[in-house]
Amino acid sequence: MKSTISFDEFKLNSDGMIPVITQDYKTNEVLMLAYMTKESFEKTLETGKMTYFSRSRQELWTKGDTSGHYQYVKSLDIDCDKDTILAKVEQIGAACHTGNRTCFFTRLAQEE
């Protein structure tokens, strides 16, 4: 897979990373938010599996390597400001480390 825009053109946060919103490619359900470095972006393109940068472990992290719950890339898009990536993926199993399908399962507020 090849990117149409160089990573060097992305607007990174103060840690040198770009946030990635990950969605199910069929349902558009938002699964998770994570971060990428240039190295994790390039590995994602090379392997077709979502690879992020773990801020807590300070290392590359291919989603599914320990859980088997891989995310296979269907498309990668960047927003108009070039500061956020939208990844549409085929999610195998749960996206969340808690075992939930998505990381967004805790309702904070709701309009009646």
Side-chain angles (χ1 to χ4, degrees):
M1 195 175 333
K2 187 166 169 52
S3 178
T4 59
I5 299 173
S6 167
F7 189 88
D8 298 329
E9 294 181 49
F10 299 171
K11 292 181 185 145
L12 309 178
N13 67 15
S14 58
D15 294 327
M17 292 183 252
I18 188 165
V20 182
I21 300 165
T22 306
Q23 272 186 312
D24 182 285
Y25 84 106
K26 287 183 183 173
T27 66
N28 289 325
E29 178 180 31
V30 176
L31 300 172
M32 58 184 283
L33 169 74
Y35 293 84
M36 280 184 167
T37 59
K38 183 174 186 174
E39 187 179 7
S40 61
F41 179 72
E42 289 172 352
K43 186 168 182 194
T44 295
L45 294 176
E46 177 188 319
T47 65
K49 295 177 188 171
M50 291 303 295
T51 302
Y52 304 103
F53 187 82
S54 171
R55 295 173 299 160
S56 59
R57 295 190 312 266
Q58 289 293 298
E59 64 185 16
L60 289 188
W61 157 52
T62 298
K63 178 75 174 143
D65 272 357
T66 54
S67 67
H69 297 169
Y70 288 100
Q71 294 175 339
Y72 294 98
V73 179
K74 294 297 184 177
S75 66
L76 297 172
D77 296 291
I78 196 154
D79 75 335
C80 56
D81 295 323
K82 294 188 179 113
D83 65 2
T84 305
I85 292 173
L86 175 63
K88 293 208 176 185
V89 302
E90 178 183 358
Q91 174 68 54
I92 305 301
C96 186
H97 74 281
T98 64
N100 284 283
R101 167 114 179 112
T102 170
C103 293
F104 297 96
F105 58 87
T106 304
R107 172 85 23 94
L108 292 177
Q110 182 173 340
E111 179 65 37
E112 295 300 323

